[in-house]
Amino acid sequence: MNYSLTILILLIPFAAFLFNGLVGMKFKPIVSGLVGTIGLGVITLIAYLTAWQYFFVDGMTDGSFPKVIAMSMDWLKLTESLTIRMGILLDPISVMMLVVITTVSFMVHIYSLGYMKGEKGFQRFYAFLSLFSFSMLGLVVATNIFQMYIFWELVGVSSFLLIGFYYSKDSAVAASKKAFIVTRFADLGFLIGILVLSYFTKTFDFNILTGEDQSIFASTAGVSFLGMSVMTWAALLIFMGGAGKSAMFPLHIWLPDAMEGPTPVSALIHAATMVVAGVFLVARMFPVFYFQAPDALTVISYVGGFTSLFAAVIACTQYDIKRVLAFSTLSQIGYMMLALGVSGYEGHEGVGYMASMFHLFTHAMFKALLFLGAGSIIHAVHSNVMQDMGGLRKYLPITHITFLIACLTIAGVPFLSGFFSKDEILVAAYEHNKLLFAVEFLVAGLTAFYMFRLYFNIFWGKEKHYHHTPHESPLTMTIPLMILAFGSIFAGYIPFSKLVTADSMPFQTHLDYAIALPSVLIGLTGILIAWILYKKETTIPERISNALGGFYRTVYNKFYIDELYMFITKKIIFNYISRPVAWFDRHIVDGTMNGIGWLTVTSSKGIKGLQSGNLPQYGMVFVVAAIVLVLVFSFLI
């Protein structure tokens, strides 16, 4: 296969975006759906062929994989040494991400044919889906960090458009603005980090920045600010952008509200596009973090670990099924960040890096399945809230089985994909940081509990009095569920340690029973507790929440982080910074400018008589002035 064909992976979804956005309304809605879906089907096939060619045909004799520039062109030449290029970089993580993004996006496109049928703005929805897919695909194949930043911002725009798709709803508009504003603050840090990095290295190119020759960083030696090296600052600022996109604490507040968008959008955001972009960024820049800013990796590991635990605890109390899944995503992305933070670089030392990418891959399958399954449930009962559900297993057999598979997978049940990838993360954490291992071990139990709390409340428990008899979703929605269920089961059997590693060299992994068995036991314990509390309707959960009192209310209200942000924003920033600045702008800046204008106009009116054109007046002024000058000089002499 000619790798130059990979340009079609970008061109086709962009063409679908232009078609649906500009002329889609002139055709029947199904035309836009088919254009977008067929386009994604074609690039999914190209992505799979590319992955096969790259991993299983063109690999090096020593088992490693080269970096291939499939396409490159100069875009902006800033200096002789600093040029921004646009191109396509193929290496293990970018090829892996092509498979993830196209697979999930293709399933979402098919699923949306049924889920969004009859919705106003159907063509607009498919235009935005294609733009979102194009943006993320452009991000992962970027040859340099500035090209990545361009597509990074396009991902932000796409998420804004899709989260606010129901623009007539105030909550959807507020959620889209919240996501956009929070990630813009984070992206400012990312941009500053890029500028600092390029100032010292004189390049944006990933091949140079992450290559074996680290001499380009020689100019940063001894350069520090506030006690930290300049490269640590650059790395932390770059991670700030990743933390915003991946909704790491304390920049997590936008993600739960993003559930205001259509459910297929939630699947795309959580499984394949926006929130995994931050993990991919750290993985792409990993050699820079590891060799030049190891302290930044420590920060990443603790931020990931804290976010993982923080989100898992909140998920245990939520009743909106999409919000439970949103906090689950926060927790799982925290797992991935932690794994990168505790990773080494060469051989088995790099198990954390491999495990992070492995979990990103498996998580894409089961999290997309969970969100699309949630959409099928919402489609049947027209509600997002657990209390409105119960006993749905006999009405939604396909959704029930596939959702159960996803719950078992994320809970780490043996021999499903989540078990293998989570086990590798726990191994990496145990080898490098026992505290973080203990945190993630606890999170494994919490994950199993809140996922089966969700499962039992929806499919078991007391059957509710539904307005109409729930029914299974159409094939356009259930076929993607079955395909993703297959991926959730078998994705864990891919030999990731031979394909995606920190130093691009394969190594051998094995199942560590000393870690795997306890993690399985704590997962089964979480499932058992959920079974006792929620399989049948009881008063035990209510009694427990009442006994926990204020702590439960605090967790249910997400530790009041949103309220804290609003207090800081409205009460402090608006009252004590914005209003004084606005007063200074209106009264001092505007007042000064208005005063200058008034003085100019008034002076002009006062002296315009001197330019009247009246000769006798000019003569009189001349004579008077001459007399005055004579008298002045006479007095002085």
Side-chain angles (χ1 to χ4, degrees):
M1 176 183 174
N2 187 348
Y3 287 124
S4 62
L5 289 177
T6 52
I7 188 63
L8 295 176
I9 293 177
L10 298 182
L11 294 181
I12 290 176
F14 186 67
F17 161 66
L18 291 178
F19 175 84
N20 287 331
L22 296 177
V23 300
M25 294 297 293
K26 297 180 180 180
F27 300 91
K28 291 182 179 180
I30 189 63
V31 173
S32 292
L34 290 175
V35 167
T37 304
I38 292 171
L40 257 295
V42 171
I43 67 169
T44 301
L45 178 61
I46 296 173
Y48 275 75
L49 291 174
T50 300
W52 174 263
Q53 180 79 15
Y54 183 83
F55 285 122
F56 302 109
V57 177
D58 294 343
M60 306 291 281
T61 55
D62 60 357
S64 65
F65 300 98
K67 293 182 179 180
V68 177
I69 302 296
M71 191 274 289
S72 181
M73 57 176 285
D74 288 352
W75 182 49
L76 289 176
K77 193 172 183 66
L78 303 178
T79 67
E80 287 300 320
S81 59
L82 194 59
T83 301
I84 300 175
R85 295 182 176 86
M86 303 295 280
I88 294 176
L89 170 63
L90 300 178
D91 68 347
I93 59 170
S94 64
V95 174
M96 179 270 292
M97 288 298 295
L98 288 179
V99 172
V100 169
I101 297 165
T102 55
T103 301
V104 174
S105 186
F106 185 39
M107 294 301 103
V108 168
H109 274 72
I110 296 173
Y111 181 93
S112 298
L113 291 173
Y115 188 87
M116 298 297 291
K117 184 178 180 180
E119 285 277 3
K120 181 182 178 182
F122 186 87
Q123 296 94 328
R124 175 167 53 91
F125 177 79
Y126 268 90
F128 293 163
L129 274 189
S130 296
L131 178 64
F132 209 170
S133 302
F134 162 74
S135 303
M136 190 64 190
L137 290 164
L139 187 155
V140 300
V141 298
T143 59
N144 62 82
I145 196 168
F146 208 91
Q147 180 187 345
M148 176 185 274
Y149 184 77
I150 293 169
F151 283 97
W152 188 273
E153 294 305 303
L154 277 174
V155 167
V157 171
S158 305
S159 66
F160 171 79
L161 294 171
L162 284 167
I163 293 169
F165 176 77
Y166 298 120
Y167 57 84
S168 58
K169 288 175 59 180
D170 290 341
S171 57
V173 173
S176 63
K177 290 193 295 185
K178 188 175 186 179
F180 194 76
I181 292 168
V182 171
T183 53
R184 291 295 69 67
F185 276 108
D187 292 352
L188 175 62
F190 185 17
L191 179 59
I192 295 171
I194 292 172
L195 297 176
V196 172
L197 182 68
S198 61
Y199 175 81
F200 285 98
T201 61
K202 303 296 186 284
T203 185
F204 296 118
D205 195 282
F206 284 133
N207 274 342
I208 300 174
L209 290 171
T210 62
E212 294 182 3
D213 183 6
Q214 295 283 296
S215 62
I216 59 168
F217 296 99
S219 61
T220 67
V223 182
S224 62
F225 178 70
L226 296 178
M228 287 197 302
S229 71
V230 69
M231 283 312 302
T232 300
W233 279 109
L236 288 174
L237 286 165
I238 289 171
F239 171 64
M240 180 179 171
K245 276 287 189 289
S246 290
M248 293 290 96
F249 182 89
L251 300 171
H252 67 283
I253 57 170
W254 66 268
L255 189 59
D257 290 355
M259 299 303 97
E260 291 290 341
T263 302
V265 172
S266 301
L268 198 56
I269 288 176
H270 288 252
T273 54
M274 192 164 176
V275 295
V276 299
V279 178
F280 178 81
L281 172 63
V282 177
R284 169 61 76 209
M285 297 294 291
F286 186 74
V288 177
F289 281 91
Y290 183 78
F291 291 111
Q292 306 300 326
D295 291 341
L297 277 184
T298 303
V299 172
I300 290 170
S301 65
Y302 279 97
V303 169
F306 179 81
T307 303
S308 184
L309 178 60
F310 173 82
V313 170
I314 295 175
C316 294
T317 65
Q318 301 301 299
Y319 289 96
D320 185 312
I321 63 174
K322 288 175 69 176
R323 287 182 181 268
V324 173
L325 296 179
F327 282 105
S328 169
T329 299
L330 286 174
S331 185
Q332 297 300 305
I333 296 295
Y335 256 108
M336 300 174 206
M337 286 292 191
L338 179 147
L340 288 170
V342 300
S343 181
Y345 187 72
E346 295 182 352
H348 191 270
E349 284 295 310
V351 67
Y353 179 97
M354 182 278 296
S356 178
M357 297 297 97
F358 194 10
H359 200 59
L360 187 157
F361 188 87
T362 60
H363 175 265
M365 302 301 163
F366 61 71
K367 186 51 62 71
L369 176 56
L370 286 168
F371 268 107
L372 296 185
S376 182
I377 295 161
I378 294 167
H379 185 264
V381 301
H382 303 290
S383 174
N384 291 20
V385 183
M386 284 186 211
Q387 289 95 324
D388 297 334
M389 303 170 189
L392 286 174
R393 66 189 184 281
K394 62 182 179 181
Y395 298 110
L396 311 174
I398 297 175
T399 301
H400 169 232
I401 294 300
T402 55
F403 200 89
L404 175 60
I405 290 170
C407 289
L408 291 169
T409 305
I410 193 174
V413 170
F415 311 117
L416 300 177
S417 63
F419 165 74
F420 295 105
S421 57
K422 185 189 71 174
D423 180 68
E424 297 293 356
I425 291 177
L426 291 175
V427 167
Y430 184 81
E431 290 179 353
H432 291 84
N433 191 311
K434 299 298 189 292
L435 173 62
L436 292 176
F437 167 77
V439 168
E440 294 312 313
F441 185 74
L442 174 60
V443 170
L446 291 173
T447 301
F449 169 74
Y450 68 66
M451 286 310 306
F452 276 85
R453 171 180 175 264
L454 179 66
Y455 166 75
F456 287 127
N457 271 302
I458 294 171
F459 295 104
W460 294 80
K462 183 179 179 181
E463 186 176 326
K464 301 298 187 292
H465 297 289
Y466 300 110
H467 295 298
H468 62 275
T469 303
H471 59 84
E472 186 59 272
S473 301
L475 284 176
T476 52
M477 294 170 65
T478 54
I479 287 175
L481 295 182
M482 291 185 278
I483 293 172
L484 288 168
F486 180 86
S488 298
I489 295 171
F490 295 105
Y493 293 93
I494 296 174
F496 248 69
S497 64
K498 296 181 179 179
L499 304 176
V500 181
T501 60
D503 60 354
S504 295
M505 293 295 294
F507 63 88
Q508 194 70 35
T509 59
H510 64 278
L511 193 62
D512 190 330
Y513 289 98
I515 291 175
L517 290 177
S519 72
V520 169
L521 288 176
I522 195 171
L524 294 176
T525 302
I527 295 173
L528 177 62
I529 293 172
W531 184 81
I532 293 169
L533 296 179
Y534 299 105
K535 186 174 183 291
K536 294 181 179 179
E537 191 168 310
T538 69
T539 60
I540 300 175
E542 184 179 355
R543 296 206 305 268
I544 292 174
S545 61
N546 290 336
L548 292 173
F551 176 74
Y552 178 86
R553 288 192 298 275
T554 300
V555 176
Y556 176 76
N557 288 289
K558 298 165 286 187
F559 292 92
Y560 298 102
I561 301 294
D562 286 77
E563 288 77 4
L564 178 61
Y565 268 101
M566 293 305 294
F567 173 79
I568 293 172
T569 302
K570 289 190 172 182
K571 300 296 184 181
I572 298 177
I573 296 177
F574 286 3
N575 285 341
Y576 297 107
I577 299 176
S578 299
R579 284 182 179 171
V581 169
W583 182 92
F584 182 84
D585 180 63
R586 285 195 304 271
H587 293 86
I588 305 302
V589 177
D590 288 354
T592 300
M593 295 300 103
N594 292 338
I596 292 172
W598 175 84
L599 181 62
T600 301
V601 171
T602 304
S603 301
S604 298
K605 287 180 179 179
I607 64 174
K608 68 182 179 180
L610 296 176
Q611 299 291 330
S612 65
N614 189 326
L615 289 177
Q617 182 185 4
Y618 288 173
M620 183 183 68
V621 171
F622 176 78
V623 171
V624 170
I627 294 171
V628 170
L629 288 173
V630 169
L631 292 174
V632 169
F633 281 111
S634 299
F635 177 77
L636 292 175
I637 294 172

